[in-house]
Coordinates of all heavy atoms in Angstrom, one line a residue:
M19 N -3.2 -0.5 -4.5 CA -3.2 0.8 -3.8 C -2.6 0.6 -2.4 O -1.4 0.4 -2.3 CB -4.6 1.3 -3.7 CG -4.7 2.8 -3.3 SD -5.3 3.7 -4.7 CE -4.9 5.3 -4.3
L20 N -3.3 0.6 -1.4 CA -2.8 0.3 -0.1 C -3.0 -1.1 0.2 O -3.8 -1.8 -0.3 CB -3.6 1.2 1.0 CG -3.5 2.7 0.8 CD1 -4.5 3.3 1.8 CD2 -2.1 3.1 1.1
I21 N -2.1 -1.6 1.1 CA -2.2 -3.0 1.5 C -3.5 -3.3 2.2 O -4.0 -2.5 3.1 CB -1.0 -3.4 2.4 CG1 -1.1 -4.9 2.8 CG2 -0.9 -2.6 3.6 CD1 -0.3 -5.8 1.9
P22 N -4.3 -4.3 1.8 CA -5.5 -4.7 2.5 C -5.2 -5.0 4.0 O -4.1 -5.5 4.3 CB -6.0 -5.9 1.8 CG -5.4 -5.9 0.5 CD -4.0 -5.2 0.7
V23 N -6.1 -4.7 4.9 CA -5.9 -4.8 6.3 C -5.8 -6.3 6.6 O -4.9 -6.8 7.4 CB -7.0 -4.2 7.2 CG1 -6.8 -4.5 8.6 CG2 -6.9 -2.7 6.9
R24 N -6.6 -7.1 6.0 CA -6.7 -8.6 6.3 C -6.5 -9.4 5.0 O -6.8 -8.9 4.0 CB -8.0 -8.9 7.0 CG -8.1 -8.4 8.4 CD -9.4 -8.8 9.1 NE -9.4 -8.3 10.4 CZ -8.9 -9.0 11.5 NH1 -8.3 -10.1 11.3 NH2 -9.0 -8.4 12.7
C25 N -6.0 -10.6 5.2 CA -5.9 -11.5 4.1 C -7.3 -11.8 3.5 O -8.2 -12.0 4.3 CB -5.2 -12.8 4.6 SG -5.2 -14.1 3.3
F26 N -7.4 -11.7 2.2 CA -8.7 -12.0 1.5 C -9.2 -13.4 1.8 O -10.4 -13.6 1.9 CB -8.6 -11.8 0.0 CG -8.3 -10.3 -0.4 CD1 -7.5 -10.1 -1.5 CD2 -8.9 -9.3 0.3 CE1 -7.3 -8.8 -1.9 CE2 -8.7 -8.0 -0.1 CZ -7.9 -7.7 -1.2
T27 N -8.3 -14.3 1.9 CA -8.8 -15.7 2.0 C -9.0 -16.1 3.5 O -10.1 -16.7 3.8 CB -7.7 -16.6 1.4 OG1 -7.4 -16.2 0.1 CG2 -8.1 -18.1 1.4
C28 N -8.1 -15.9 4.4 CA -8.3 -16.5 5.7 C -8.6 -15.4 6.8 O -9.0 -15.7 7.9 CB -7.0 -17.2 6.2 SG -5.6 -16.1 6.5
G29 N -8.5 -14.1 6.5 CA -8.8 -13.0 7.4 C -7.7 -12.7 8.4 O -7.9 -11.9 9.3
N30 N -6.5 -13.3 8.2 CA -5.4 -13.0 9.1 C -5.0 -11.5 8.9 O -5.0 -11.0 7.8 CB -4.3 -13.9 8.8 CG -3.1 -13.7 9.7 OD1 -3.3 -13.4 10.9 ND2 -1.9 -14.1 9.3
L31 N -4.7 -10.8 10.1 CA -4.3 -9.4 10.0 C -2.9 -9.4 9.4 O -1.9 -10.0 9.9 CB -4.2 -8.9 11.4 CG -4.0 -7.4 11.6 CD1 -5.1 -6.6 11.0 CD2 -3.9 -7.0 13.1
I32 N -2.7 -8.6 8.3 CA -1.4 -8.5 7.6 C -0.9 -7.1 7.5 O 0.3 -6.9 7.3 CB -1.5 -9.2 6.2 CG1 -2.6 -8.6 5.4 CG2 -1.6 -10.7 6.4 CD1 -2.6 -9.0 4.0
A33 N -1.8 -6.1 7.5 CA -1.4 -4.7 7.2 C -0.3 -4.2 8.2 O 0.5 -3.4 7.9 CB -2.6 -3.8 7.2
D34 N -0.4 -4.7 9.5 CA 0.5 -4.2 10.5 C 1.9 -4.8 10.2 O 2.9 -4.3 10.8 CB 0.0 -4.6 11.9 CG -0.1 -6.1 12.1 OD1 -0.3 -6.8 11.1 OD2 0.2 -6.6 13.2
K35 N 2.1 -5.8 9.4 CA 3.4 -6.4 9.2 C 4.0 -5.9 7.9 O 5.2 -6.2 7.6 CB 3.3 -7.9 9.1 CG 2.8 -8.5 10.5 CD 2.4 -9.9 10.3 CE 1.8 -10.4 11.6 NZ 0.3 -10.5 11.5
Y36 N 3.2 -5.1 7.1 CA 3.7 -4.7 5.8 C 4.9 -3.8 5.8 O 5.9 -4.0 5.0 CB 2.6 -4.0 5.0 CG 2.9 -3.7 3.6 CD1 3.1 -4.7 2.7 CD2 3.0 -2.4 3.1 CE1 3.5 -4.5 1.4 CE2 3.3 -2.1 1.8 CZ 3.6 -3.2 0.9 OH 3.9 -2.9 -0.4
E37 N 4.9 -2.8 6.7 CA 6.1 -1.9 6.8 C 7.4 -2.7 7.2 O 8.4 -2.4 6.6 CB 5.8 -0.8 7.8 CG 6.7 0.4 7.7 CD 6.3 1.5 8.5 OE1 5.1 1.8 8.7 OE2 7.2 2.2 9.1
D38 N 7.2 -3.6 8.2 CA 8.4 -4.4 8.6 C 8.9 -5.2 7.4 O 10.1 -5.3 7.2 CB 8.0 -5.3 9.7 CG 7.8 -4.5 11.0 OD1 8.2 -3.4 11.1 OD2 7.1 -5.1 11.9
Y39 N 8.0 -5.8 6.7 CA 8.3 -6.6 5.5 C 9.0 -5.7 4.5 O 10.1 -6.1 3.9 CB 7.1 -7.2 4.9 CG 7.3 -7.9 3.6 CD1 8.0 -9.1 3.5 CD2 6.8 -7.3 2.4 CE1 8.2 -9.7 2.3 CE2 7.1 -7.9 1.2 CZ 7.8 -9.1 1.1 OH 8.0 -9.7 -0.1
Q40 N 8.5 -4.5 4.2 CA 9.1 -3.7 3.2 C 10.6 -3.3 3.6 O 11.5 -3.3 2.8 CB 8.3 -2.4 3.1 CG 7.0 -2.6 2.3 CD 7.2 -2.6 0.8 OE1 7.8 -1.7 0.3 NE2 6.8 -3.6 0.2
N41 N 10.7 -3.0 4.9 CA 12.1 -2.6 5.4 C 13.0 -3.8 5.3 O 14.2 -3.5 4.9 CB 12.0 -2.2 6.9 CG 11.2 -0.8 7.0 OD1 11.2 0.0 6.1 ND2 10.7 -0.6 8.2
K42 N 12.6 -5.0 5.6 CA 13.5 -6.1 5.4 C 13.9 -6.4 4.0 O 15.0 -6.6 3.7 CB 12.7 -7.4 6.0 CG 12.7 -7.5 7.5 CD 11.8 -8.6 7.9 CE 11.6 -8.6 9.4 NZ 12.6 -9.3 10.1
V43 N 12.9 -6.2 3.0 CA 13.2 -6.5 1.6 C 14.2 -5.4 1.1 O 15.1 -5.6 0.4 CB 11.9 -6.5 0.8 CG1 12.2 -6.6 -0.7 CG2 11.1 -7.8 1.2
R44 N 13.9 -4.1 1.5 CA 14.7 -3.0 1.1 C 16.2 -3.1 1.6 O 17.1 -2.7 0.9 CB 14.1 -1.7 1.5 CG 13.0 -1.3 0.7 CD 12.6 0.2 0.9 NE 11.3 0.4 0.2 CZ 10.2 0.9 0.8 NH1 10.2 1.1 2.1 NH2 9.1 1.1 0.1
S45 N 16.3 -3.7 2.8 CA 17.7 -3.9 3.3 C 18.4 -5.1 2.7 O 19.5 -5.4 3.1 CB 17.6 -4.0 4.9 OG 17.0 -5.2 5.2
G46 N 17.8 -5.8 1.8 CA 18.4 -6.8 1.1 C 18.1 -8.2 1.6 O 18.7 -9.2 1.1
E47 N 17.2 -8.3 2.6 CA 16.9 -9.7 3.1 C 16.1 -10.4 2.1 O 15.3 -9.8 1.3 CB 16.1 -9.5 4.4 CG 15.9 -10.8 5.1 CD 15.3 -10.6 6.5 OE1 15.5 -9.6 7.1 OE2 14.6 -11.6 6.9
D48 N 16.2 -11.7 2.1 CA 15.4 -12.6 1.2 C 13.9 -12.5 1.6 O 13.6 -12.6 2.7 CB 15.9 -14.0 1.3 CG 15.1 -15.0 0.4 OD1 14.8 -14.5 -0.8 OD2 14.8 -16.1 0.8
P49 N 13.0 -12.2 0.6 CA 11.6 -12.0 1.0 C 11.0 -13.2 1.7 O 10.2 -13.1 2.6 CB 10.9 -11.8 -0.4 CG 12.0 -11.2 -1.3 CD 13.3 -11.9 -0.8
A50 N 11.4 -14.4 1.3 CA 10.9 -15.6 1.9 C 11.3 -15.7 3.4 O 10.4 -16.0 4.3 CB 11.4 -16.9 1.2
K51 N 12.5 -15.4 3.7 CA 13.0 -15.4 5.1 C 12.3 -14.2 5.9 O 12.0 -14.4 7.1 CB 14.5 -15.3 5.1 CG 15.2 -16.5 4.7 CD 16.7 -16.4 4.7 CE 17.3 -17.7 4.2 NZ 18.6 -17.5 3.7
G52 N 12.1 -13.1 5.2 CA 11.4 -12.0 5.9 C 10.0 -12.4 6.3 O 9.6 -12.0 7.4
L53 N 9.3 -13.0 5.4 CA 7.9 -13.5 5.7 C 7.9 -14.5 6.8 O 7.1 -14.5 7.7 CB 7.3 -14.0 4.4 CG 6.9 -13.0 3.4 CD1 6.5 -13.7 2.1 CD2 5.8 -12.1 3.8
D54 N 8.9 -15.4 6.8 CA 9.0 -16.4 7.8 C 9.3 -15.8 9.2 O 8.6 -16.1 10.2 CB 10.2 -17.4 7.5 CG 9.8 -18.3 6.4 OD1 8.6 -18.5 6.0 OD2 10.8 -18.9 5.8
S55 N 10.2 -14.8 9.2 CA 10.5 -14.1 10.5 C 9.3 -13.3 11.0 O 9.2 -13.1 12.2 CB 11.7 -13.3 10.3 OG 11.5 -12.2 9.5
L56 N 8.4 -12.9 10.2 CA 7.3 -12.1 10.6 C 6.1 -13.0 11.0 O 5.1 -12.6 11.5 CB 6.8 -11.2 9.5 CG 7.7 -10.0 9.2 CD1 7.2 -9.3 8.0 CD2 7.7 -9.0 10.4
G57 N 6.3 -14.3 10.8 CA 5.3 -15.3 11.2 C 4.2 -15.4 10.2 O 3.1 -15.9 10.6
I58 N 4.4 -15.1 9.0 CA 3.4 -15.2 7.9 C 3.7 -16.5 7.2 O 4.6 -16.6 6.3 CB 3.4 -14.0 7.0 CG1 3.1 -12.8 7.8 CG2 2.4 -14.2 5.9 CD1 3.3 -11.5 7.0
N59 N 3.0 -17.6 7.6 CA 3.4 -18.9 7.1 C 2.4 -19.4 6.0 O 2.8 -20.2 5.1 CB 3.4 -19.9 8.2 CG 4.5 -19.5 9.2 OD1 5.6 -19.1 8.9 ND2 4.1 -19.6 10.5
R60 N 1.2 -19.0 6.1 CA 0.2 -19.5 5.1 C 0.4 -18.8 3.7 O 0.7 -17.6 3.7 CB -1.2 -19.2 5.5 CG -1.7 -20.2 6.6 CD -3.0 -19.8 7.1 NE -2.8 -19.4 8.5 CZ -3.5 -18.6 9.2 NH1 -4.6 -18.0 8.7 NH2 -3.2 -18.4 10.5
Y61 N 0.3 -19.6 2.6 CA 0.6 -19.0 1.3 C -0.4 -18.0 0.9 O -0.1 -17.1 0.1 CB 0.8 -20.1 0.3 CG -0.3 -21.0 -0.1 CD1 -1.3 -20.5 -1.0 CD2 -0.4 -22.2 0.4 CE1 -2.3 -21.4 -1.3 CE2 -1.5 -23.1 0.1 CZ -2.4 -22.6 -0.8 OH -3.5 -23.4 -1.1
C62 N -1.7 -18.1 1.4 CA -2.7 -17.1 1.1 C -2.2 -15.7 1.6 O -2.4 -14.7 1.0 CB -4.0 -17.5 1.6 SG -4.2 -17.7 3.4
C63 N -1.7 -15.7 2.8 CA -1.2 -14.4 3.5 C 0.1 -13.9 2.8 O 0.3 -12.7 2.6 CB -1.0 -14.6 4.9 SG -2.4 -15.2 5.9
R64 N 0.9 -14.9 2.4 CA 2.2 -14.5 1.8 C 2.0 -13.8 0.5 O 2.7 -12.8 0.2 CB 3.1 -15.7 1.6 CG 3.6 -16.3 3.0 CD 4.2 -17.7 2.8 NE 5.6 -17.6 2.4 CZ 6.6 -17.6 3.2 NH1 6.4 -17.8 4.5 NH2 7.9 -17.5 2.8
R65 N 1.0 -14.3 -0.3 CA 0.8 -13.7 -1.6 C 0.2 -12.2 -1.4 O 0.4 -11.4 -2.3 CB -0.2 -14.5 -2.4 CG -1.6 -14.7 -1.9 CD -2.6 -13.7 -2.4 NE -3.7 -13.6 -1.5 CZ -4.9 -14.2 -1.6 NH1 -5.2 -14.9 -2.7 NH2 -5.8 -14.0 -0.7
M66 N -0.5 -12.0 -0.3 CA -1.0 -10.6 -0.1 C 0.2 -9.6 0.0 O 0.1 -8.5 -0.5 CB -1.8 -10.5 1.2 CG -3.0 -11.4 1.3 SD -4.3 -11.0 0.1 CE -4.9 -9.5 0.8
L67 N 1.3 -10.0 0.7 CA 2.4 -9.1 0.9 C 3.3 -9.1 -0.4 O 3.8 -8.1 -0.8 CB 3.2 -9.5 2.1 CG 2.6 -9.3 3.4 CD1 3.4 -9.8 4.6 CD2 2.2 -7.8 3.6
L68 N 3.4 -10.3 -1.0 CA 4.3 -10.4 -2.2 C 3.7 -9.6 -3.4 O 4.5 -9.1 -4.2 CB 4.5 -11.8 -2.5 CG 5.4 -12.6 -1.6 CD1 5.3 -14.1 -1.9 CD2 6.8 -12.1 -1.7
T69 N 2.4 -9.6 -3.5 CA 1.8 -9.1 -4.7 C 1.2 -7.7 -4.6 O 0.7 -7.1 -5.6 CB 0.7 -10.0 -5.2 OG1 -0.3 -10.1 -4.2 CG2 1.2 -11.4 -5.5
T70 N 1.3 -7.0 -3.5 CA 0.8 -5.7 -3.3 C 1.8 -4.7 -4.0 O 3.0 -4.7 -3.9 CB 0.8 -5.3 -1.8 OG1 -0.2 -6.1 -1.2 CG2 0.4 -3.8 -1.6
V71 N 1.2 -3.8 -4.8 CA 1.9 -2.8 -5.5 C 1.5 -1.4 -5.0 O 0.3 -1.1 -5.0 CB 1.7 -2.8 -7.0 CG1 2.4 -1.7 -7.7 CG2 2.1 -4.2 -7.6
E72 N 2.4 -0.6 -4.5 CA 2.1 0.7 -3.9 C 1.9 1.7 -5.1 O 2.8 1.9 -5.8 CB 3.2 1.2 -3.0 CG 3.2 0.5 -1.7 CD 2.3 1.0 -0.7 OE1 1.6 2.0 -1.0 OE2 2.1 0.4 0.4
T73 N 0.7 2.2 -5.3 CA 0.5 3.1 -6.3 C 0.1 4.5 -5.8 O -0.2 5.4 -6.6 CB -0.7 2.6 -7.2 OG1 -1.8 2.4 -6.4 CG2 -0.3 1.4 -8.0
I74 N 0.1 4.7 -4.5 CA -0.4 6.0 -3.9 C 0.4 7.2 -4.4 O -0.1 8.2 -4.7 CB -0.4 5.9 -2.4 CG1 -1.1 7.1 -1.8 CG2 1.0 5.7 -1.8 CD1 -2.6 7.1 -2.0
Q75 N 1.8 7.0 -4.6 CA 2.6 8.1 -5.0 C 2.3 8.5 -6.5 O 2.5 9.6 -6.9 CB 4.1 7.8 -4.9 CG 4.5 7.6 -3.4 CD 4.3 8.8 -2.6 OE1 4.3 9.9 -3.1 NE2 3.9 8.6 -1.3
Q76 N 1.8 7.5 -7.3 CA 1.4 7.8 -8.7 C 0.1 8.5 -8.8 O -0.2 9.2 -9.7 CB 1.5 6.5 -9.5 CG 2.9 6.0 -9.7 CD 2.9 4.5 -9.6 OE1 2.0 3.9 -9.3 NE2 4.1 4.0 -9.7
V77 N -0.8 8.3 -7.8 CA -2.1 8.8 -7.8 C -2.2 10.2 -7.2 O -3.0 11.0 -7.7 CB -3.1 7.8 -7.0 CG1 -4.5 8.4 -6.9 CG2 -3.1 6.5 -7.7
I78 N -1.4 10.5 -6.3 CA -1.4 11.8 -5.5 C -1.4 13.0 -6.5 O -2.2 13.9 -6.3 CB -0.3 11.9 -4.5 CG1 -0.7 11.0 -3.3 CG2 -0.1 13.3 -4.0 CD1 0.4 10.9 -2.3
P79 N -0.5 13.0 -7.5 CA -0.5 14.2 -8.4 C -1.9 14.5 -9.1 O -2.2 15.7 -9.3 CB 0.5 13.9 -9.5 CG 1.4 12.9 -8.8 CD 0.6 12.1 -7.9
F80 N -2.6 13.5 -9.3 CA -4.0 13.7 -10.0 C -4.9 14.4 -9.0 O -5.7 15.3 -9.3 CB -4.6 12.4 -10.4 CG -3.8 11.8 -11.6 CD1 -2.9 10.7 -11.4 CD2 -3.9 12.3 -12.8 CE1 -2.2 10.2 -12.4 CE2 -3.2 11.7 -13.9 CZ -2.4 10.7 -13.7
Y81 N -4.8 14.0 -7.7 CA -5.7 14.6 -6.7 C -5.3 16.1 -6.5 O -6.1 17.0 -6.3 CB -5.7 13.9 -5.4 CG -6.6 12.7 -5.4 CD1 -6.1 11.4 -5.7 CD2 -7.9 12.8 -5.2 CE1 -6.9 10.3 -5.7 CE2 -8.8 11.7 -5.3 CZ -8.2 10.5 -5.5 OH -9.1 9.4 -5.6
E82 N -3.9 16.3 -6.5 CA -3.4 17.7 -6.4 C -3.9 18.5 -7.6 O -4.3 19.7 -7.4 CB -1.9 17.7 -6.3 CG -1.4 17.1 -5.0 CD 0.1 16.9 -4.9 OE1 0.7 16.9 -6.0 OE2 0.6 16.7 -3.8
A83 N -3.9 18.0 -8.8 CA -4.3 18.7 -9.9 C -5.8 19.1 -9.9 O -6.2 20.2 -10.2 CB -4.0 17.9 -11.2
I84 N -6.6 18.1 -9.4 CA -8.0 18.3 -9.2 C -8.3 19.4 -8.2 O -9.1 20.3 -8.4 CB -8.7 17.0 -8.8 CG1 -8.8 16.0 -9.9 CG2 -10.1 17.3 -8.3 CD1 -9.2 14.6 -9.6
Q85 N -7.5 19.4 -7.1 CA -7.7 20.4 -6.1 C -7.3 21.8 -6.6 O -8.0 22.8 -6.4 CB -6.8 20.1 -4.9 CG -7.4 20.7 -3.6 CD -7.1 19.8 -2.4 OE1 -6.0 19.2 -2.4 NE2 -8.0 19.6 -1.5
R86 N -6.2 21.9 -7.4 CA -5.7 23.2 -8.0 C -6.8 23.7 -8.9 O -7.1 24.9 -8.9 CB -4.4 23.0 -8.7 CG -3.2 23.3 -7.9 CD -2.0 23.5 -8.8 NE -1.9 22.4 -9.8 CZ -1.1 21.2 -9.6 NH1 -0.5 21.1 -8.5 NH2 -1.1 20.3 -10.5
R87 N -7.4 22.8 -9.8 CA -8.4 23.3 -10.7 C -9.6 23.7 -10.0 O -10.3 24.7 -10.4 CB -8.7 22.1 -11.6 CG -9.7 22.4 -12.7 CD -9.2 23.5 -13.7 NE -10.3 23.9 -14.5 CZ -10.5 25.2 -14.9 NH1 -9.7 26.1 -14.5 NH2 -11.5 25.5 -15.6
H88 N -10.0 23.0 -8.9 CA -11.1 23.4 -8.1 C -10.9 24.8 -7.5 O -11.8 25.7 -7.5 CB -11.4 22.4 -7.0 CG -12.6 22.7 -6.1 ND1 -13.8 22.5 -6.6 CD2 -12.7 23.2 -4.9 CE1 -14.7 22.8 -5.6 NE2 -14.0 23.2 -4.6
Q89 N -9.7 25.1 -7.0 CA -9.4 26.4 -6.5 C -9.5 27.5 -7.6 O -9.9 28.6 -7.3 CB -8.0 26.4 -5.8 CG -8.0 25.7 -4.5 CD -6.6 25.5 -3.9 OE1 -5.7 25.7 -4.6 NE2 -6.6 25.0 -2.7
E90 N -9.0 27.2 -8.8 CA -9.0 28.1 -9.9 C -10.5 28.5 -10.2 O -10.8 29.7 -10.4 CB -8.4 27.5 -11.1 CG -6.9 27.5 -11.1 CD -6.3 26.7 -12.2 OE1 -7.0 26.4 -13.2 OE2 -5.1 26.3 -12.1
V91 N -11.3 27.5 -10.3 CA -12.7 27.7 -10.6 C -13.4 28.6 -9.5 O -14.1 29.5 -9.8 CB -13.5 26.4 -10.8 CG1 -15.0 26.6 -10.8 CG2 -13.0 25.7 -12.0
Q92 N -13.1 28.3 -8.2 CA -13.6 29.0 -7.1 C -13.2 30.5 -7.2 O -14.0 31.4 -7.0 CB -13.2 28.4 -5.8 CG -13.9 27.1 -5.4 CD -15.4 27.3 -5.3 OE1 -15.8 28.3 -4.7 NE2 -16.2 26.4 -5.8
S93 N -11.9 30.7 -7.5 CA -11.4 32.1 -7.6 C -12.0 32.8 -8.8 O -12.2 34.1 -8.7 CB -9.9 32.1 -7.7 OG -9.4 31.6 -8.9
E94 N -12.3 32.1 -9.9 CA -13.0 32.8 -11.0 C -14.4 33.1 -10.7 O -15.0 34.1 -11.2 CB -12.9 31.9 -12.2 CG -11.5 31.8 -12.9 CD -11.5 30.7 -13.9 OE1 -12.5 30.2 -14.4 OE2 -10.3 30.3 -14.3
L95 N -15.1 32.4 -9.9 CA -16.4 32.6 -9.5 C -16.6 33.8 -8.6 O -17.6 34.5 -8.5 CB -17.1 31.4 -8.9 CG -17.3 30.2 -9.9 CD1 -17.8 29.0 -9.1 CD2 -18.3 30.6 -11.0
E96 N -15.5 34.1 -7.8 CA -15.6 35.1 -6.8 C -15.4 36.5 -7.4 O -15.0 36.7 -8.4 CB -14.6 34.9 -5.6 CG -15.1 33.7 -4.8 CD -14.0 33.3 -3.8 OE1 -12.9 33.9 -3.8 OE2 -14.2 32.3 -3.1
Ligands
LIG121 ZN1 -4.3 -15.8 4.6

C-alpha cells in the first residue's frame, strides 16, 4: 500500500526518500545508483524501497463505490 515510514529491520527513516527514489527511477536512472545517491546503503533499507508496490490507485475506486452506495442508501431513507 503506502511505503512504511521506517525500515522494518533497523528503524531507519525511509519514507521521506521514497518520492526522490521514484523520480530517479522514472527518469531512467539505475535503481542501485539512485539508492546510493540517497544514502540508503544497508540492504534491509534498500529492500524496503525496491519491493514496495503502490496499490492506492487500485483501492480508491472501491472506497468511492462504498461512499456512493452509502449516499444512495441515505437518500432512500430520507
Ligand atoms: Zn534498514
Side-chain angles (χ1 to χ4, degrees):
M19 193 110 195
L20 297 173
I21 180 90
V23 174
R24 291 185 176 271
C25 173
F26 291 145
T27 305
C28 71
N30 186 26
L31 188 64
I32 53 169
D34 62 328
K35 297 166 186 106
Y36 187 64
E37 195 174 325
D38 291 340
Y39 171 73
Q40 287 280 306
N41 291 335
K42 285 174 187 274
V43 171
R44 283 194 190 121
S45 68
E47 190 175 329
D48 183 38
K51 288 180 182 155
L53 289 169
D54 289 340
S55 68
L56 290 170
I58 301 172
N59 299 318
R60 281 173 246 157
Y61 64 82
C62 60
C63 302
R64 293 170 83 95
R65 63 97 204 255
M66 299 295 289
L67 293 176
L68 288 170
T69 59
T70 294
V71 177
E72 287 279 354
T73 56
I74 189 72
Q75 295 302 327
Q76 289 137 1
V77 173
I78 285 173
F80 293 102
Y81 280 99
E82 289 171 346
I84 289 170
Q85 206 148 38
R86 265 196 311 268
R87 183 65 189 139
H88 182 74
Q89 287 170 349
E90 287 171 13
V91 169
Q92 286 297 320
S93 65
E94 287 171 14
L95 291 174
E96 289 170 1

